[in-house]
Amino acid sequence: MKRARRSEHLNRLLLLVLVVLPGVAQAFTFQPAGVLKPGSGKGLQTTKVYAPTMRYPTEKSPSYPNSQVWGVGGSQGPKGGQCDAKNFAYPWWDNYCETRTWSMPLCPSGKGHQGQDIRGATCVNKTHWLVAAEAGTITGIGTYSVYLKAGGTTFRYLHMDPGTLAVQVGQKVSKGQKLGLMSNAFGGTPTTVHLHFDIEQFVSGTGTVFVSPYNSLVESYEKLIGPADPCAGKDCNDKQDCTKDTCAAGTCNHTPVSGACSDGDACSLGDVCSAGKCKAGAAKVCSDNNACTKDACAPPTAGSPANTPGVCVFTPEPKACDDGNACTIGDACNASLCAAGGAKDCKDGIDCTQDVCTKGVCSHPPLAGTCDDKNPCTVDTCGTKGCVHVANDCADDNACTTDSCTLGKCVHAAKAGPCDDGNACSDADACDLGVCKGTTKVCDDAEPCTSGACANGGCVQTPVVGSCDDGDDCSLGDACSGGQCEPGSTKDCDDGLDCTLDGCSDGECTHKGELEAEVKNCVGGFVEAYDACGAGPMLEECPPEKPCESGACGGEANPLPGDAGGGADVTGDADATDDAGPAKVTDAAEAKRDVAKVADPESIFGPETAAPAAAGAGAAAPAADGCGAGRRSSLAGVLTLLGLAGIGLAWSRRKRPLYQTRR
């Protein structure tokens, strides 16, 4: 509230400044007669001056005729207060014929505002004097009105303050005489601070009516303020809604504007201004959603207010239509209404059915009770050719029962015989008290590395993992792999002897080949040793104080084979012989050759399988087997001869094999 008051005070101060300060006053301009505030109605465009000799009704200038309703702060105008500076600025605006409900024969719409609203220099109440427009008589005073009659013209002043009136009824007044102060009096409800001024005259062909005071106000105001504006009274209206018509220095200007307009066709809506011309909008849609009428838009009736939109007209039109019922045919329009045609034919010619139409679709439901044959063991239906009686289906889809109908009830008696329980993995299916039973199919293949199962009637063997037995006792750690029992490692039967063939049979180790006990013999001063396989010999020289006896140094005497006296007879005779033993060595050179032969056993005996040649006349050496058996006696004789010859051997006092058999 305080802000509103402060704003109103500021506006009043501004108005006072504009009026009082010299050189600040605005140049007088005005809109032509009939140009009203946009949206406030359609004015009377005229150049006629109905009171050419009248004085302007306010004592002093400036004054601002304009709209109270469509001005700033008015009920139909922009937001603000009555004291807004825009209400106290040129140009003037005509508001004669502005939208009202009073009958006004001269207004284009036949109704409108009867005169012109005039603001004073400011909005201050009871400040500005109003004066007589002509010399005349005060003929009437109301609660907020004064009537001045001058000849055939009556001037009416509204909204003067009743308490400040300077005249009374019947009083004669001169032109320019003070009548009262401008105020906001309006009976019990105040209005804005302004003067409503109108002129009532006789108009030929019409009668005594309110005429336009606008041009008379313009001329009288120009006389009040000085020389007339060259544009005063100049009609610059180009009759176009899409231009702003102005006058400057006596020249009319027509500036294109935007916004809504009227193209003169009441059946086009949303007309808008474009480049100074009114462009027609969309045609008014007239539809009553009735197929039996012809829809059209017609101009409004004569005497309708300006810019009244077109009127929709719906004319009955006889033609085919659809009454919305799909079960009728031949529908036709009758006096704007769609009349139903004949019913759709849904007869099927079958006595036991109903003939029904639903949403245009024929159906034929059976008539209840028309096909009953009184047999409880039949199903009675109505078919395409009439009643149908079918025996009651008591089948329970059980192969182990006999199905029948008795007195309308189904009976299912158990029966025996083969059947199929639906399980492909069962065998020998047979009925048992009305139930089909079978024996589960066995799928064990007795293999340790597979697991058998039945699937879809067939046996499937699935490989398993784990230990197994491949049937061979000579393999260890057998295991399943890919459904097969794979043998493990072979049992170890190695006895460590090269002269035996090791093997396994039924889980037991075998060693093929004959083994001999270890043998030790004395050969001169040496111990001749053979191993368990007969391989050797190993020679050990015995010291003189411990001669070789019984296969050991210092043992009992053990004569060589063929030596009757217990040892070889070694002499220096070149031709001496021993029929029972090897040839005697008679020459040192011969002994050296024998030593060379001992170093290479092959040179003495040849191949292992060949018998050595006789060393002396008639002497036969025993044959040698694969392990050297059979060589011992002849070799012993040779070594004896070597010892007797006193030849030093490189292996003296050391155990060293003289030769090894090939293995």
Side-chain angles (χ1 to χ4, degrees), residues 32-79:
V35 178
L36 310 187
K37 282 287 187 178
S40 65
K42 191 169 184 180
L44 176 64
Q45 296 179 358
T46 180
T47 60
K48 184 175 178 60
V49 179
Y50 287 92
T53 63
M54 67 169 272
R55 186 201 189 282
Y56 192 78
T58 65
E59 181 186 30
K60 298 177 181 179
S61 65
S63 179
Y64 304 98
N66 51 40
S67 175
Q68 303 297 300
V69 176
W70 270 267
V72 177
S75 63
Q76 304 297 320
K79 292 182 179 180

Side-chain angles (χ1 to χ4, degrees), residues 424-513:
C425 290
S426 67
D427 295 328
D429 300 343
C431 292
D432 181 12
L433 298 178
V435 179
C436 188
K437 299 179 180 179
T439 304
T440 303
K441 189 172 185 177
V442 178
C443 288
D444 186 7
D445 60 357
E447 292 294 333
C449 289
T450 58
S451 175
C454 179
N456 298 324
C459 288
V460 178
Q461 304 298 329
T462 305
V464 298
V465 296
S467 60
C468 59
D469 186 354
D470 65 352
D472 182 358
D473 293 337
C474 290
S475 66
L476 304 177
D478 306 337
C480 294
S481 176
Q484 301 294 325
C485 188
E486 298 295 337
S489 59
T490 304
K491 187 174 182 179
D492 185 8
C493 287
D494 187 5
D495 61 359
L497 300 178
D498 294 336
C499 59
T500 61
L501 180 62
D502 304 324
C504 180
S505 176
D506 296 330
E508 300 295 333
C509 290
T510 61
H511 309 285
K512 295 182 179 180

Side-chain angles (χ1 to χ4, degrees), residues 374-378 392 394 404-411:
K374 309 304 180 183
N375 183 352
C377 286
T378 62
N392 191 9
C394 288
S404 62
C405 178
T406 302
L407 298 177
K409 294 184 178 181
C410 290
V411 178

Side-chain angles (χ1 to χ4, degrees), residues 73 147 152 175 177 207 222 235 256 273 568 586:
Y147 292 79
K175 181 188 292 187
Q177 184 177 335
E222 289 176 339
D235 185 6
C273 292
T586 60

Side-chain angles (χ1 to χ4, degrees), residues 1-308:
M1 181 65 72
K2 290 181 178 180
R3 289 183 180 177
R5 290 177 178 173
R6 185 181 301 121
S7 177
E8 185 171 353
H9 291 326
L10 289 174
N11 282 321
R12 290 181 179 179
L13 179 60
L14 176 60
L15 291 173
L16 289 173
V17 170
L18 293 175
V19 172
V20 174
L21 291 181
V24 179
Q26 307 171 60
F28 170 53
T29 58
F30 59 94
Q31 297 287 359
V35 178
L36 310 187
K37 282 287 187 178
S40 65
K42 191 169 184 180
L44 176 64
Q45 296 179 358
T46 180
T47 60
K48 184 175 178 60
V49 179
Y50 287 92
T53 63
M54 67 169 272
R55 186 201 189 282
Y56 192 78
T58 65
E59 181 186 30
K60 298 177 181 179
S61 65
S63 179
Y64 304 98
N66 51 40
S67 175
Q68 303 297 300
V69 176
W70 270 267
V72 177
S75 63
Q76 304 297 320
K79 292 182 179 180
Q82 66 164 324
C83 295
D84 193 288
K86 293 179 182 178
N87 293 329
F88 298 87
Y90 300 126
W92 285 5
W93 287 87
D94 186 5
N95 78 326
Y96 174 77
C97 291
E98 194 175 70
T99 300
R100 296 290 192 277
T101 58
W102 295 306
S103 177
M104 292 288 291
L106 300 185
C107 290
S109 67
K111 294 182 180 182
H113 192 219
Q114 297 165 323
Q116 175 68 45
D117 290 336
I118 303 172
R119 299 180 195 266
T122 68
C123 63
V124 180
N125 194 18
K126 295 186 255 186
T127 301
H128 309 296
W129 279 101
L130 302 179
V131 298
E134 290 282 4
T137 303
I138 305 300
T139 59
I141 296 177
T143 56
Y144 55 89
S145 61
V146 172
Y147 292 79
L148 170 61
K149 187 172 180 62
T153 301
T154 298
F155 301 94
R156 186 169 60 159
Y157 297 75
L158 302 184
H159 311 304
M160 281 194 292
D161 177 44
T164 61
L165 289 180
V167 294
Q168 56 186 354
V169 175
Q171 180 179 344
K172 301 288 185 177
V173 295
S174 60
K175 181 188 292 187
Q177 184 177 335
K178 293 180 180 179
L179 303 179
L181 294 175
M182 184 183 296
S183 73
N184 62 352
F186 194 29
T189 303
T191 182
T192 58
V193 176
H194 76 287
L195 164 66
H196 170 92
F197 180 78
D198 53 40
I199 300 174
E200 193 174 26
Q201 287 182 354
F202 176 82
V203 176
S204 178
T206 303
T208 301
V209 294
F210 291 104
V211 297
S212 173
Y214 191 78
N215 291 331
S216 300
L217 289 171
V218 170
E219 282 198 4
S220 62
Y221 190 73
E222 289 176 339
K223 294 175 183 177
L224 178 65
I225 64 175
D229 191 304
C231 290
K234 188 176 182 67
D235 185 6
C236 289
N237 190 353
D238 61 359
K239 307 297 190 293
Q240 295 291 331
D241 293 340
C242 293
T243 59
K244 180 179 180 181
D245 305 324
T246 58
C247 180
T251 302
C252 291
N253 298 304
H254 310 288
T255 305
V257 296
S258 59
C261 60
S262 175
D263 65 349
D265 183 359
C267 290
S268 67
L269 303 178
D271 306 337
V272 294
C273 292
S274 176
K277 301 293 182 181
C278 190
K279 183 178 180 181
K284 182 174 182 178
V285 177
C286 290
S287 175
D288 59 358
N289 296 318
N290 187 349
C292 292
T293 60
K294 182 178 182 181
D295 306 331
C297 177
T301 58
S304 298
N307 300 325
T308 300

